[in-house]
Amino acid sequence: MLERQETLMNTQNKRKILGPCALVFTASNTGSWRLERPLVDAELCVRCGTCAKYCPAGIITIHKAGETPVEIDLRYCKGCGICVNECPKRCMKLIPERGEE
Amino acid sequence: MPIKMLDGNGAAVEAIRLVRPGVIAAYPITPQSSIAEHLADEVADGRIKAEYIRVESEHSAMSACVGAQLTGVRAVTATSSVGLALMHEVCGVTSGCRLPMVMYVVNRSLAAPWSLWCDHSDTMAERDSGWLQFYAGNVQDVLDLYLAGIRISEHPEVLTPSMICQDGFFLSHSMQKVNVPEDDTAFGFVGSYQRRNMYLDPEDTMFVNDLTPTDDYGEMRYQQMVGFRNAARVTEEVFAEFEKTFGRKLEVIRPYMLEDAEAAVVTMGSMSGTARYVVDELRKQGIRAGALQIVMYRPFPAEMIARALKHVPVIGVVDRSAGLGGAQPPVCTEVTAALHGGTNDIRSFIGGLAGRDISNHSFERIFADIIAIRAGKTNTHCQWFDVKVNAMDIRTVSGEEES
């Protein structure tokens, strides 16, 4: 997401804009306040994409092949747990940010 | 140019049709309702080729219009009274994002007391929301000011939204003869909408109205001030072009018999014609009366008003809103500031609240006060000129007075 915006800005001609707007958004990453984050059991996952559809932040990518079926961009994940609740295979869980892995 | 019999809301719908909006989102509220209803008819019958979004409130109506206009079309809404109050938050977004939206406001008093009838308290509460404000004096103005407002607001050096204000019922529901321009002439005058400044486009993304630090906020307000300063100039240019195109004169202020006036009133909206009628009557009696109608209230044409009034010894400013707790109510405050340093005796008059008629008798009374001051017979005047003498006792219940 961030990379895309930076590329966009570098390729655009400069022009003046009045009022509040931004082409680079650096303030939307989650920071250090998230208490839990989702973890996927890659053995059980069937790559159905339900978690990605429900993610309110739109930061889940499903890989149809490869060892990692579900890629979660933790820079923006708020740890809301909706993906965990929606997973039809119950192969996701929330784990604490601090403490045991 | 075809002449039609239209009320103010009918003229508003005609004007909106002529500028070919892309999106309409309006929530009905008395006395604006027939605008929202007839716009829906126009869209259903294909005379306006726009998306009509049914919304659950005025806050949503203005929000939908902000999003719509950012995609590059004219977005249209209209409201009144508490509807405008509910829009207040988003009105600031529209102006702060420099979206040149033009909105009809059908003036109605604010609650409480709950009322359906005309005064200017709704738009006066929005006078610092960053919108231009124009007040129609008759139904022709209602149509004409909208077409001109589109050109003024959308001017690249202005990019500031406009409220076209018309007095509820006195104009909105009053049938008058209206010159409605031909479609092509009107659209030729306003032109097609040009997307400028910020926009929403999936092919060329930007974040609009993100959190802005202290570092930039004041600068963005300064940018808006420059927009208002330019609007004063652009309005005169657009009004001149309007007259050339349509043959009708639009003015920022309408001075009447002021050249030799000894006493004059300052008015806004539908009361202004009555003021001029009373000036004529007084002139027949040999009294040198005059009147000044303010059409453009934001940006406030202070210099023009000062030029028009500087030689008038006594001036009565009529406010159709109470301006509670102020040194003066809003119009009088501005006129006083415009004439600051002069020798004029400026008197504030408050009345016509919630649809109380400002009749010829009202102006006769106001003129009697200021003419007596001019003649040195008194130094006082009746500010609340139409309030009943028993104002403090209009509701009573049985029982002892509470101590």
Side-chain angles (χ1 to χ4, degrees), chain B residues 199-260:
Chain B
Y199 48 79
L200 289 177
D201 183 349
E203 302 299 317
D204 181 6
T205 52
M206 66 171 76
F207 293 93
V208 173
N209 196 17
D210 54 330
L211 182 67
T212 301
T214 313
D215 229 22
D216 293 337
Y217 185 98
E219 284 67 21
M220 289 177 187
R221 279 282 176 272
Y222 183 90
Q223 293 170 359
Q224 286 180 267
M225 179 279 291
V226 173
F228 270 92
R229 204 167 58 193
N230 295 339
R233 190 195 79 237
V234 169
T235 300
E236 292 194 60
E237 293 167 8
V238 170
F239 282 5
E241 200 189 319
F242 185 92
E243 192 179 351
K244 227 178 279 173
T245 312
F246 300 103
R248 284 189 301 279
K249 199 175 173 66
L250 281 176
E251 291 165 292
V252 167
I253 55 169
R254 289 185 176 131
Y256 188 71
M257 311 289 264
L258 286 176
E259 294 78 9
D260 63 344

Side-chain angles (χ1 to χ4, degrees), chain A residues 23-43:
Chain A
L23 297 178
V24 182
F25 215 48
T26 52
S28 67
N29 56 335
T30 302
S32 59
W33 53 263
R34 184 176 60 221
L35 296 177
E36 294 176 311
R37 63 189 147 97
L39 187 71
V40 183
D41 185 339
E43 297 285 301

Side-chain angles (χ1 to χ4, degrees), chain B residues 120-194:
Chain B
H120 295 159
S121 53
D122 51 359
T123 45
M124 283 301 145
E126 295 303 323
R127 66 189 186 273
D128 296 335
S129 286
W131 287 57
L132 314 179
Q133 285 192 347
F134 299 89
Y135 289 79
N138 55 43
V139 176
Q140 186 71 59
D141 272 357
V142 171
L143 187 141
D144 292 351
L145 286 171
Y146 192 84
L147 300 181
I150 292 271
R151 283 285 305 276
I152 298 161
S153 284
E154 291 179 7
H155 191 285
E157 289 171 52
V158 177
L159 293 178
T160 301
S162 293
M163 289 180 194
I164 309 297
C165 310
Q166 55 161 320
D167 285 354
F169 298 107
F170 292 115
L171 293 180
S172 69
H173 289 63
S174 152
M175 280 280 179
Q176 293 177 15
K177 193 178 79 175
V178 182
N179 264 302
V180 180
E182 302 289 352
D183 290 18
D184 292 342
T185 317
F187 196 69
F189 177 75
V190 296
S192 51
Y193 186 70
Q194 302 297 314

